[in-house]
Amino acid sequence: MTETTKTHVILLACGSFNPITKGHIQMFERARDYLHKTGRFIVIGGIVSPVHDSYGKTGLVSSRHRLTMCQLAVQSSDWIRVDPWECYQDTWQTTCSVLEHHRDLMKRVTGCILSNVNTPSITPVIGQPQNESSQNIYQNNNNVSSKPTAAKILGKVGESLSRICCVRPPMERFTFVDENANLGTVMRYEEIELRILLLCGSDLLESFCIPGLWNEADMEVIVGEFGMVVVPRDGADPERIMNHSSILRKYKNNILVVKDDSNHPMSVVSSTKSRLALQHGDGHVVDYLCQPVIDYILKSQLYINASG
């Protein structure tokens, strides 16, 4: 497949990240590697979206701390970013609403038509009618007229992601895009297909099978419209899990299960194990958390007692 025909993907992971672990980061890396190996996808960005404080989970530390730890964990990555929008809302947001927020934001920031998983876009990347005097987000300074390629639009989308959407905020202050900001107009590029996929572990997939835990309408949107990339954890079998839910069975083709090393060392790492290791002074915490996150936790005295 050519770059034009491959689906361009942004991976979005929602969760407590209490704290963010090496396993979370490896989940992104494993998913990207697998999607690239299929030959059908190009992953152009990753978004870490920590849950709002009002989620109410026992032992959940302030979003101020969780955002900072997430930032520290991805500071060396050139494609994963932390987005604080979810934390900065007035109250807890559903996973469905977070996905929809980022989809709408991508439309404005990148100028791309974002397709649903079941209805691939046949519309070129949007280009609003422009006056000659209007200034484009993406300026072409070459005098030679040439049709932009998929590689060019990919570069521009990636540039927009790192510069505008998936903000890598400074440690002192977290900011995100003003939804009402005037982002200007964009040039018309040849067609590419861009999707936001929910990235998760098999434990989240399994939670879809718990009666009453998820709103069924939200599940329809998450799996039916967006799609998911599932990384197996703790030896779980995602195929077996999907058979226990009518909605998951219905949209089984929209759920991409990462097939790599089933015994990957990071597949057993969890935030729960990390907190327990911190409470008990277990040296194995260095296997679960990156050093900057450990340093921040110790400095801020987080998770040291059983109450969180």
Side-chain angles (χ1 to χ4, degrees), residues 271-282:
S271 296
T272 300
K273 288 183 179 179
S274 301
R275 293 194 302 271
L276 289 172
L278 288 163
Q279 291 163 15
H280 298 138
D282 187 345

Side-chain angles (χ1 to χ4, degrees), residues 161-262:
L161 284 173
S162 61
R163 180 169 54 87
I164 302 175
C165 181
C166 311
V167 178
R168 176 177 290 188
M171 301 306 295
E172 304 81 23
R173 182 171 178 268
F174 289 90
T175 57
F176 54 91
V177 177
D178 180 354
E179 294 186 25
N180 297 313
N182 178 12
L183 298 176
T185 56
V186 296
M187 293 173 63
R188 187 182 185 90
Y189 288 89
E190 68 180 89
E191 177 187 353
I192 69 166
E193 186 181 347
L194 176 62
R195 291 183 191 155
I196 297 178
L197 298 178
L198 179 65
L199 173 64
C200 68
S202 51
D203 50 338
L204 186 143
L205 185 71
E206 195 163 21
S207 73
F208 278 18
C209 303
I210 301 175
L213 184 62
W214 288 81
N215 179 290
E216 289 199 4
D218 282 1
M219 289 175 63
E220 289 272 352
V221 172
I222 293 170
V223 191
E225 293 188 16
F226 286 93
M228 302 172 68
V229 182
V230 181
V231 178
R233 297 190 59 210
D234 290 329
D237 181 1
E239 299 290 338
R240 178 190 59 79
I241 292 171
M242 284 187 273
N243 288 331
H244 288 280
S245 164
S246 59
I247 292 178
L248 295 181
R249 287 197 303 273
K250 178 180 177 182
Y251 297 110
K252 191 173 183 178
N253 291 337
N254 299 346
I255 302 172
L256 301 162
V257 178
V258 173
K259 295 179 175 62
D260 58 5
D261 182 6
S262 59

